[in-house]
Amino acid sequence: MDFLTLFLIYLGLVLATAALACLCTGRRQGRLARSAQGAAQVLSFVIPTELQRMTQKVLHRLFHTRSCLFVVLHLALQAAVYGEYTWEVFGYCWELGIPIPLLLLPFLLLPVNAGCFVLCSRANPGVITKSNHASLIKIYAYDAILFQKGIVCPACNMEKPARSKHCGLCNTCVHRFDHHCVWVNNCIGAFNTKYFLLYLFTLTGMAASIALITGVFFIQVVLLSNMMHGSYIDEQGQEQGMEILFLIQHLFLTFPRIVFMLGFVILLTLVLGAYCCFNLYLALTNQTSNEWYKWRRVGCAPHVASQPQDRRVIYKNIYSNGIWMNLKEIFKPPTVLGKKKR
């Protein structure tokens, strides 16, 4: 195994460890994260110290400071997908007679998604300052389990309001903190969660619509060319009926960029779709990602009240007021004057 291969393996493990560390932020790390850390420590004995320092600086820059790198990557991937769709798929589908409204759907979603992206990245998520601290601390009650009264943020030197959290990347406390999104380079909090949800759902719709149209294009190509009723000569020189794997290989050799794009947008649709469902669940139950992770970190189940120490702690979500009111709170965050007594 040459040095370059060893370094790439080391870098991959370190990146995986960093990504897992971002997810496993609790006291107890997952078994996979510990295994990745162990493997990285073993490889650190054979990787030069200078390369280790350089890798740590890059990882610190990526995962522990605000950076536009992921925003640029996001825009580059979006431009690449739309470029391929515009110059290749759209033209072929136009010739095949696929309905124009369906072909234009990704372009109709694009400005809506771009607007939500700008609003989400530029809006104030709910940064807690000395001037608004007194009013924000009155909005939510402390539940005495996830959020304790009297806890002072050591960085901001202010008492933490309930449902708030200090973001290490932005170096500020955020009201109703959800998470820090590297793809928009901003925290997601009380005042921009609505933009984030709209951005996420429109992004999923864009990926799904492009995947659907591209899939329809390939189905049309297969049906018009009558490839399913064809045959091919295998390695032994015998004639074989058309198989799915051979068909996919033939399409990949004929339309390599389109097939690659289709695989990417299908994967993106599945990942974003699952994440949309998770965020919709959080919105309907009036939870944040931060609170959801905290519940699992302390071993709580979101339900009624505290149990004796020898039994599992059961937690009641005091912030949920029913589906309609929970959604209303997302799109119209409560103020002190409009706050309901709990």
Side-chain angles (χ1 to χ4, degrees):
M1 184 180 295
D2 59 7
F3 172 77
L4 179 59
T5 304
L6 193 63
F7 173 69
L8 291 176
I9 293 175
Y10 166 75
L11 183 60
L13 284 172
V14 174
L15 285 171
T17 302
L20 286 168
C22 292
L23 296 175
C24 306
T25 54
R27 297 176 182 175
R28 298 175 297 177
Q29 291 181 317
R31 183 178 301 176
L32 185 60
R34 292 196 298 268
S35 300
Q37 286 180 345
Q41 289 175 356
V42 171
L43 287 176
S44 65
F45 291 107
V46 294
I47 299 296
T49 305
E50 290 299 322
L51 286 179
Q52 293 184 42
R53 291 176 180 174
M54 182 181 67
T55 304
Q56 291 173 355
K57 289 180 180 179
V58 171
L59 292 176
H60 179 79
R61 178 66 179 171
L62 289 177
F63 296 103
H64 297 285
T65 60
R66 292 192 69 178
S67 172
C68 292
L69 177 62
F70 286 96
V71 175
V72 174
L73 178 61
H74 163 265
L75 296 177
L77 289 174
Q78 194 172 69
V81 170
Y82 266 84
E84 183 63 25
Y85 174 77
T86 303
W87 298 113
E88 295 284 346
V89 179
F90 188 89
Y92 287 131
C93 291
W94 179 285
E95 295 176 1
L96 291 174
I98 294 177
I100 295 300
L102 180 61
L103 296 180
L104 293 178
L105 181 58
F107 297 109
L108 297 176
L109 291 172
L110 181 59
V112 180
N113 178 261
C116 294
F117 171 80
V118 172
L119 289 172
C120 188
S121 60
R122 303 298 296 175
N124 179 3
V127 175
I128 301 173
T129 62
K130 292 183 178 179
S131 59
N132 64 13
H133 176 265
S135 60
L136 293 180
I137 204 169
K138 298 176 182 178
I139 293 179
Y140 292 112
Y142 292 93
D143 60 10
I145 296 180
L146 299 184
F147 303 103
Q148 306 283 344
K149 187 176 178 59
I151 302 297
V152 177
C153 175
C156 300
N157 197 26
M158 292 184 295
E159 183 181 358
K160 288 185 177 182
R163 311 192 78 182
S164 68
K165 185 179 184 299
H166 183 86
C167 176
L169 278 72
C170 300
N171 196 29
T172 56
C173 282
V174 178
H175 175 53
R176 198 185 182 275
F177 178 86
D178 191 276
H179 70 288
H180 182 94
C181 181
V182 295
W183 299 106
V184 300
N185 197 28
N186 197 7
C187 286
I188 307 302
F191 302 136
N192 66 347
T193 298
K194 53 181 176 292
Y195 303 132
F196 177 74
L197 290 177
L198 294 173
Y199 160 74
L200 188 61
F201 280 103
T202 52
L203 188 64
T204 306
M206 290 159 54
S209 60
I210 292 177
L212 174 63
I213 295 169
T214 308
V216 170
F217 160 68
F218 279 127
I219 292 174
Q220 289 283 76
V221 169
V222 171
L223 293 178
L224 292 175
S225 61
N226 205 26
M227 281 190 288
M228 291 302 297
H229 300 285
S231 61
Y232 69 97
I233 305 299
D234 62 13
E235 296 177 354
Q236 287 75 32
Q238 297 180 354
E239 186 176 0
Q240 301 287 343
M242 184 62 66
E243 298 176 352
I244 296 297
L245 292 178
F246 184 84
L247 179 62
I248 295 175
Q249 182 182 6
H250 175 74
L251 292 174
F252 182 78
L253 293 175
T254 308
F255 309 100
R257 296 199 307 269
I258 298 179
V259 172
F260 183 80
M261 183 199 72
L262 177 60
F264 174 73
V265 292
I266 287 177
L267 178 62
L268 192 63
T269 301
L270 295 176
V271 173
L272 289 176
Y275 192 51
C276 279
C277 293
F278 174 67
N279 278 271
L280 182 60
Y281 161 74
L282 294 180
L284 294 177
T285 56
N286 203 339
Q287 302 179 60
T288 64
S289 298
N290 178 51
E291 293 162 2
W292 188 84
Y293 289 130
K294 276 188 173 183
W295 281 344
R296 276 130 195 89
R297 187 175 64 190
V298 300
C300 293
H303 230 2
V304 195
S306 297
Q307 299 289 334
Q309 294 183 357
D310 58 340
R311 299 178 62 183
R312 191 184 182 198
V313 177
I314 299 179
Y315 174 76
K316 179 183 178 181
N317 182 9
I318 66 172
Y319 307 115
S320 180
N321 295 300
I323 293 177
W324 172 249
M325 294 303 297
N326 292 341
L327 288 176
K328 184 179 178 181
E329 185 171 316
I330 294 292
F331 291 92
K332 188 179 179 181
T335 60
V336 177
L337 295 178
K339 188 191 75 166
K340 292 185 176 181
K341 293 182 179 181
R342 302 181 185 277

